[in-house]
Amino acid sequence: MSWQEPWIWVVAGVLLGALEMLLPGFILLGFAVGAILVGGLLWIGVIGDSLPLAVLVLALSALAVWLVMRKLMGVRPGQTRIWDRDINEN
């Protein structure tokens, strides 16, 4: 087994997607999408034998998904966060 096997990336992406359902905040969703994308690109032969390129695609796609999710699910325009108490106060 090697990092060059596309099915390993796809399985890792599916597992990260499943773990995302247990964690709040869209933490693993970007990595799940990125891993599936890398698996697809390995399968069609775009990435080839380049591990740094695979990691770069994973990182950039994870960042892109995070930015999109932040835009869609983040703080809405006009919405502010109001802190009414400090966690250090009694």
Side-chain angles (χ1 to χ4, degrees), residues 9 38 47 50-63:
W9 288 92
V38 169
I47 293 179
S50 177
L51 179 60
L53 183 58
V55 172
L56 180 66
V57 169
L58 175 71
L60 290 177
S61 59
L63 178 64

Side-chain angles (χ1 to χ4, degrees), residues 1-80:
M1 292 192 331
S2 164
W3 67 267
Q4 297 170 336
E5 297 290 334
W7 67 269
I8 292 175
W9 288 92
V10 172
V11 168
V14 169
L15 288 175
L16 287 170
L19 284 174
E20 176 61 42
M21 290 185 227
L22 301 174
L23 297 174
F26 304 107
I27 298 168
L28 299 176
L29 184 63
F31 293 108
V33 170
I36 292 172
L37 179 65
V38 169
L41 291 176
L42 278 170
W43 183 62
I44 61 175
V46 173
I47 293 179
D49 294 339
S50 177
L51 179 60
L53 183 58
V55 172
L56 180 66
V57 169
L58 175 71
L60 290 177
S61 59
L63 178 64
V65 168
W66 183 80
L67 289 172
V68 168
M69 294 307 294
R70 176 76 176 154
K71 183 75 172 168
L72 293 176
M73 305 292 180
V75 177
R76 303 281 184 237
Q79 179 183 2
T80 58

